[in-house]
Amino acid sequence: MNYYNSNTVIYLNGQFVKASEAKTDLYGQSLHYGFAAFEGIRAYKTHNATRIFKAREHYERLKRSCELTGIPFNWNIEDLIRQTYKLLELNNFKDAYIRPLVFSEPQMTLVAPEKVSIMLCAWEWAAYLGDRQLKVSISPFERPNPKSTFIEAKISGNYVNSILATTDAKNRGFDEALLLDMQGNVAEAPGANFFIEKNGKLYTPAKGNILSGITRATLIELCNVLDIEVIEKKISVSFLKEADSAFFCGTAVEVAGIHTIDDVVFRQRWRDSIGATLQRAYKNLVLEKVNYEVII
């Protein structure tokens, strides 16, 4: 996929520049060690105008990721939201995926940087895992030990684990991986959170070994409105195999139904599942309803 062309514009340290002409130093910690913080945000064309979904929550999480890891964050969130809308306007994007990235100054030490840069880019991107039910495999790779890094921070280096897991799953003929934690309990997908349905209730892995996603929180809010019980707990593989249905969720993924996990075929038809109900409710929310950041 070509993420940009000769006319694509990005935002870099206060300036809008062509992506093809932007430059960065090759001696930075972010390139060599993966020491950077990023976000994934979506903008949707609604019946009124293009709106960025939960922009403030995403930029606040970006700031929190930086704070946890010692990466300086000196930008005003309201201004970043304004610049993001401007970025969409300059590229004439109506539906887009937005990627803010905070990356370090040139240095080769293993000490957090004193100076950083920020880049905002965007591209047109359909749902990351498509719109069909997925064949998923439990990965041989585990999620990192939460004592080895900040699991709750969206840090570039953490995604080496994700690339390994997804690549392995695809090489074995699956659409995506599902990772366990160091105790053998279900954690999450390489780039998405995970829910199962059993006996009319939803279950999702508790915080601690997952990146607790903004889409995950949104679906839990929708469940409260729809009077659907959601239980956050440790989920064993045996409990997973007894589920009626399952799905992934995330900004890039949105809501994606799962057909099989290894040799387990979920017996409930997707269109009759709670996941399908939430898929429709989420799409209605991002296209028509509330919780947008509107900058006037």
Side-chain angles (χ1 to χ4, degrees), residues 2-40:
N2 293 324
Y3 295 96
Y4 69 94
N5 58 43
S6 59
N7 295 317
T8 302
V9 173
I10 67 169
Y11 176 87
L12 181 62
N13 292 332
Q15 302 292 324
F16 289 99
V17 299
K18 288 188 176 181
S20 59
E21 298 174 0
K23 297 179 180 180
T24 186
D25 198 288
L26 297 179
Y27 289 83
Q29 286 178 316
S30 301
L31 177 63
H32 287 259
Y33 309 132
F35 198 64
F38 74 97
E39 269 300 319

Side-chain angles (χ1 to χ4, degrees), residues 18-168:
K18 288 188 176 181
S20 59
E21 298 174 0
K23 297 179 180 180
T24 186
D25 198 288
L26 297 179
Y27 289 83
Q29 286 178 316
S30 301
L31 177 63
H32 287 259
Y33 309 132
F35 198 64
F38 74 97
E39 269 300 319
I41 312 173
R42 276 200 186 270
Y44 294 92
K45 181 181 179 181
T46 74
H47 65 288
N48 288 323
T50 292
R51 294 286 181 257
I52 302 171
F53 186 66
K54 294 201 169 181
R56 179 165 284 105
E57 287 89 337
H58 280 284
Y59 278 113
E60 286 175 349
R61 186 172 66 177
L62 178 64
K63 181 179 180 181
R64 177 61 174 159
S65 295
C66 290
E67 290 173 343
L68 283 170
T69 52
I71 298 173
F73 188 95
N74 301 314
W75 299 278
N76 177 273
I77 288 176
E78 284 70 26
D79 182 62
L80 289 176
I81 296 172
R82 282 191 290 270
Q83 301 305 335
T84 307
Y85 273 103
K86 182 65 174 178
L87 177 73
L88 296 175
E89 180 184 342
L90 290 172
N91 287 292
N92 195 29
F93 287 155
K94 307 300 182 185
D95 289 282
Y97 184 84
I98 303 155
R99 170 57 51 83
L101 175 71
V102 178
F103 58 99
S104 70
E105 63 179 336
Q107 66 147 324
M108 290 291 100
T109 76
L110 297 180
V111 178
E114 295 182 0
K115 297 179 180 180
V116 293
S117 294
I118 191 166
M119 184 270 291
L120 312 177
C121 66
W123 61 91
E124 294 176 322
W125 209 18
Y128 176 64
L129 294 175
D131 57 4
R132 60 185 175 83
Q133 285 185 265
L134 304 170
K135 292 172 54 182
V136 175
S137 178
I138 294 177
S139 179
F141 296 96
E142 295 178 348
R143 290 293 290 154
N145 186 325
K147 292 184 178 180
S148 69
T149 185
F150 290 102
I151 293 293
E152 66 270 36
K154 201 169 178 70
I155 300 301
S156 297
N158 288 352
Y159 282 75
V160 172
N161 174 255
S162 299
I163 292 170
L164 293 172
T166 294
T167 302
D168 170 78

Side-chain angles (χ1 to χ4, degrees), residues 183-201:
Q183 298 173 328
N185 294 310
V186 174
E188 58 188 343
N193 290 127
F194 179 70
F195 285 80
I196 64 171
E197 176 184 351
K198 185 176 181 181
N199 298 329
K201 300 178 182 179

